[in-house]
Amino acid sequence: MNEHRICTMIGFAARARKCVSGATAVESAIRSRKAKLVVLDKESSENSKKNYQNLCEHYKIPYIEITNPGLAIGKPDRLCLAILQKEFAEQIIKA
């Protein structure tokens, strides 16, 4: 998995407004089935990871873990992101 390419694609998705960040927005996108891919931070707490993994498995949404995903969208404090467009999600998974 090429994290540099993944961060670039996440940045493109953010510029196209096809990315949401933050716990509340990501959970809302998952529950409303708008999220096509969830990106988690590798350094998140185990409880947070398990919560998002369970949500993703329940709603059948793929997820990946990378180091500091918020940096890709210019918000380094964000630990989780949701990609809302299928094409961006496919490119990120393929990277």
Side-chain angles (χ1 to χ4, degrees):
M1 179 175 356
N2 185 351
E3 284 200 18
H4 179 70
R5 181 176 160 100
I6 290 173
C7 286
T8 302
M9 292 305 297
I10 291 171
F12 287 150
R15 292 286 295 156
R17 301 210 180 259
K18 299 298 178 185
C19 176
V20 294
S21 62
T24 306
V26 170
E27 285 183 25
S28 175
I30 292 171
R31 288 195 171 109
S32 65
R33 300 178 195 267
K34 291 180 182 176
K36 306 302 180 206
L37 174 69
V38 175
V39 183
L40 302 173
D41 191 352
K42 286 181 181 177
E43 280 89 44
S44 295
S45 69
E46 291 301 318
N47 192 26
S48 294
K49 284 184 193 178
K50 186 173 181 178
N51 181 30
Y52 286 110
Q53 289 169 354
N54 288 341
L55 269 174
C56 289
E57 288 171 6
H58 181 265
Y59 289 99
K60 296 177 177 54
I61 297 170
Y63 65 90
I64 60 171
E65 292 182 17
I66 65 171
T67 305
N68 207 351
L71 216 59
I73 61 169
K75 298 177 182 177
D77 298 340
R78 304 299 167 98
L79 300 177
C80 57
L81 307 170
I83 305 298
L84 305 178
Q85 190 174 24
K86 184 178 78 167
E87 290 79 12
F88 282 122
E90 289 171 354
Q91 289 297 319
I92 291 168
I93 292 171
K94 197 185 330 180

